[in-house]
Amino acid sequence: MTELLRLKDVEKSFTLHNQDGITLPVFKGLTMQAHAGECVALAGPSGMGKSTLMRMIYGNYLCQGGQVEVLHKGDWVDIAKANARDILQVRRWTLGYISQFLRVVPRVSTLNVVAEPLIMRGVDGGTARDQAAAMLTKVNLPESLWHLAPATFSGGEQQRVNIARGFVADYPVMLLDEPTASLDQTNREAVLDLIRTSKAAGRALVGIFHDADTRAAVCDREFSIGDFKVSA
Amino acid sequence: MTETENLQTPLLSVQSVTKTYGPHLGCSDISFDLYPGEVVGIVGESGSGKTTLLNCLAGRLTPDAGKVLYTDRLGSALNVHTVSEPQRRMLMRTDWAFVHQHARDGLRMTVSAGGNVGERLMAGGARHYGNIREQALDWLEKTEVDVSRIDDRPDTFSGGMQQRLQIARNLVTGPRLVFMDEPTGGLDVSVQARLLDLLRGLVSEMGLSAIIVTHDLAVARLLSHRLVVMRRGQIVETGLTDQVLDDPQDAYTQLLVSSVLHP
């Protein structure tokens, strides 16, 4: 299988300069890969650094050492060393991230929030909104909500907006931070379908899923972060 | 982007810029590049030298050392501080825009709203009254200024309306580079949100490059791709905006980020 994401000797620690300069080690020597067509579950108890690792892959957290390489338009880009402009290009075309919480500009309608990743790629507004509408339909978000800003939505509705926004752009590599956490059975099933479709389309997915049923339903293997834990 | 530009050549290259006020430091040894289509935020507390730096970059102040190079539409690099005065005025009227923190510094308060917008078009060579008025109306609409107020003077406008009018006046000529000094400062939060949404849309629609000075980290997060964090006239940290805000490395940036409620 084709590798789309590969991490080698990744190291992370946090230094808190304003709290006596204390350094909190997270992990060290972490090595993993994700291939086209698979969904890898990051496993380990809370506080082990699963979300941290995901943010490092996305370039949101810095690496203290090692490489985080993403296959971007045929070339490997090391997120750990790439400059900001290159990381933004990788995010625009290759790397998607569905975080636990939706963070958007106030006042922007749901339809435009979801269409934005496509518009950033230069897709015209009409086409982008059509695709956004199709994706919102897939996650069962009622059409009556599409023209409202998501700030006042319930947790489950916001999460579905977030998921639609993440899946609308067909990123070859997807990072999912508890995508089904606040969803009921029907909506959870809709998200699992999106994951299955992505796998079938040859994308690589890395996710955090606390629910064992979800893991069993879509994940091909587990990756245990605890093996690389550094104790304080 | 409306024209084919070399995305690998910086639009603005800032090289070791230093400006002091007598014994007082404004900014010291500042270097960074701004690329086409990029928005860079400059953050830091009051007195950190942000505005001094912005004024140096925009040619409004002359640095004591260092230089600022601007790549014009023809691809030639112009030294912002040594170009001839007519050339600089031309740049200010066509390629650049400067949005002031206080709208009254960027508007002519005794000229009508439409006149404020039209004036910049005329400075760029527009002469046809009908076209100018039409474009002014179009921009008032885009910036959500009530078009029925086109003939009113901005000193009868609210602060938020004045700020939107200032933005209309600045962007009507389709500049390539916009400097903004605390564009949302002094506005109440609902007006701020509206202005942010507007600015964000315009920047991405027009493919603008911008340098935005702000002390508001939430504004910086929403508007800028990259951040430059300043303290006591120096750069202490730079990087991708969300990375600098979510995983700050420098002690001062950590303090700054941890001091706000929701950056």
Side-chain angles (χ1 to χ4, degrees):
Chain A
M1 281 197 299
T2 323
E3 260 182 7
L4 296 183
L5 173 71
R6 58 186 190 205
L7 280 61
K8 189 161 183 288
D9 285 330
V10 170
E11 180 176 347
K12 182 65 194 169
S13 60
F14 292 101
T15 301
L16 310 178
H17 292 290
N18 301 302
Q19 294 177 53
D20 306 326
I22 188 178
T23 293
L24 304 170
V26 185
F27 40 68
K28 200 174 178 173
L30 187 146
T31 295
M32 72 169 281
Q33 301 82 31
H35 303 88
E38 73 171 344
C39 179
V40 182
L42 299 181
S46 292
M48 199 55 83
K50 298 187 293 294
S51 291
T52 296
L53 178 61
M54 203 162 266
R55 285 163 172 261
M56 289 164 78
I57 298 172
Y58 199 59
N60 178 232
Y61 282 4
L62 286 185
C63 299
Q64 265 61 46
Q67 290 114 49
V68 175
E69 293 185 301
V70 179
L71 190 63
H72 169 65
K73 297 191 166 183
D75 290 315
W76 289 99
V77 176
D78 183 0
I79 299 289
K81 292 177 192 68
N83 66 39
R85 291 194 306 136
D86 290 338
I87 293 177
L88 289 174
Q89 283 302 313
V90 172
R91 287 181 181 180
R92 180 168 300 177
W93 296 101
T94 305
L95 192 57
Y97 169 48
I98 298 179
S99 62
Q100 285 186 67
F101 304 102
L102 183 66
R103 187 179 229 154
V104 290
V105 188
R107 272 192 8 136
V108 179
S109 76
T110 294
L111 198 61
N112 283 329
V113 164
V114 175
E116 195 189 18
L118 296 173
I119 288 170
M120 296 297 287
R121 286 182 179 172
V123 176
D124 76 87
T127 312
R129 276 184 285 274
D130 285 347
Q131 284 180 251
M135 194 48 78
L136 286 166
T137 308
K138 279 188 192 166
V139 298
N140 305 318
L141 198 84
E143 197 171 339
S144 55
L145 298 178
W146 295 0
H147 293 281
L148 304 176
T152 55
F153 291 3
S154 75
E157 287 164 349
Q158 289 198 11
Q159 191 166 28
R160 281 179 283 153
V161 174
N162 216 4
I163 287 164
R165 180 182 157 94
F167 277 103
V168 79
D170 295 342
Y171 301 104
V173 180
M174 286 285 290
L175 307 169
L176 315 169
D177 196 345
E178 299 210 48
T180 56
S182 44
L183 301 185
D184 60 31
Q185 188 60 33
T186 319
N187 290 316
R188 184 175 146 257
E189 214 32 66
V191 174
L192 296 186
D193 272 342
L194 286 172
I195 295 176
R196 289 189 193 103
T197 310
S198 295
K199 284 168 61 177
R203 295 175 203 131
L205 298 98
V206 176
I208 299 169
F209 307 92
H210 276 302
D211 162 33
D213 292 344
T214 305
R215 274 205 301 276
V218 290
C219 296
D220 301 278
R221 60 189 172 93
E222 291 193 4
F223 177 81
S224 174
I225 288 190
D227 301 348
F228 307 94
K229 181 80 190 163
V230 180
S231 41
Chain B
M1 207 139 311
T2 50
E3 49 202 294
T4 45
E5 286 180 282
N6 185 349
L7 299 175
Q8 298 310 316
T9 307
L11 189 64
L12 198 72
S13 180
V14 184
Q15 303 175 3
S16 308
V17 166
T18 297
K19 173 74 187 172
T20 53
Y21 299 103
H24 301 288
L25 183 64
C27 59
S28 163
D29 198 21
I30 305 293
S31 300
F32 69 90
D33 290 331
L34 175 79
Y35 288 85
E38 195 175 38
V39 180
V40 167
I42 302 177
V43 299
E45 63 198 1
S46 307
S48 58
K50 306 184 297 282
T51 299
T52 296
L53 175 61
L54 191 73
N55 284 326
C56 285
L57 301 186
R60 297 161 56 86
L61 276 178
T62 304
D64 303 324
K67 59 183 174 184
V68 180
L69 299 178
Y70 169 72
T71 307
D72 70 10
R73 291 177 205 252
L74 303 170
S76 7
L78 306 176
N79 182 322
V80 169
H81 301 97
T82 59
V83 292
S84 67
E85 197 48 40
Q87 212 172 355
R88 175 163 37 201
R89 271 204 302 272
M90 196 59 198
L91 273 186
M92 293 284 202
R93 281 200 296 259
T94 56
D95 281 24
W96 292 9
F98 197 105
V99 176
H100 296 265
Q101 174 175 7
H102 302 292
R104 41 182 66 237
D105 295 336
L107 290 174
R108 288 222 290 147
M109 300 309 277
T110 54
V111 173
S112 71
N116 264 284
V117 180
E119 200 171 49
R120 201 169 137 102
L121 282 170
M122 287 168 69
R127 287 294 172 264
H128 187 281
Y129 177 79
N131 290 348
I132 293 172
R133 189 169 171 95
E134 198 171 304
Q135 268 189 284
L137 274 169
D138 180 42
W139 270 92
L140 292 183
E141 217 161 37
K142 270 191 192 153
T143 51
E144 304 175 23
V145 175
D146 183 354
V147 291
S148 69
R149 303 288 304 269
I150 185 167
D151 296 317
D152 295 345
R153 285 164 34 160
D155 50 12
T156 65
F157 287 9
S158 70
M161 270 171 82
Q162 287 180 3
Q163 195 57 301
R164 294 198 300 275
L165 179 63
Q166 191 194 184
I167 288 166
R169 174 183 165 99
N170 270 283
L171 298 189
V172 67
T173 49
R176 300 169 76 213
L177 174 57
V178 185
F179 299 95
M180 299 192 206
D181 189 6
E182 303 277 6
T184 60
L187 301 177
D188 69 58
V189 283
S190 62
V191 178
Q192 258 192 40
R194 200 165 163 195
L195 193 66
L196 279 176
D197 177 22
L198 173 75
L199 279 175
R200 201 160 175 266
L202 290 174
V203 164
S204 74
E205 234 169 77
M206 302 174 72
L208 290 176
S209 304
I211 297 182
I212 299 176
V213 160
T214 179
H215 68 275
D216 187 330
L217 299 182
V219 168
R221 187 191 284 273
L222 288 179
L223 290 180
S224 56
H225 301 115
R226 272 197 299 139
L227 276 191
V228 169
V229 184
M230 287 186 70
R231 186 193 189 209
R232 293 184 184 156
Q234 289 177 323
I235 293 182
V236 295
E237 187 164 354
T238 64
L240 199 61
T241 297
D242 59 276
Q243 180 264 304
V244 171
L245 295 178
D246 294 339
D247 188 19
Q249 305 294 304
D250 178 80
Y252 174 67
T253 318
Q254 289 186 357
L255 183 69
L256 203 63
V257 170
S258 64
S259 304
V260 285
L261 295 174
H262 290 290

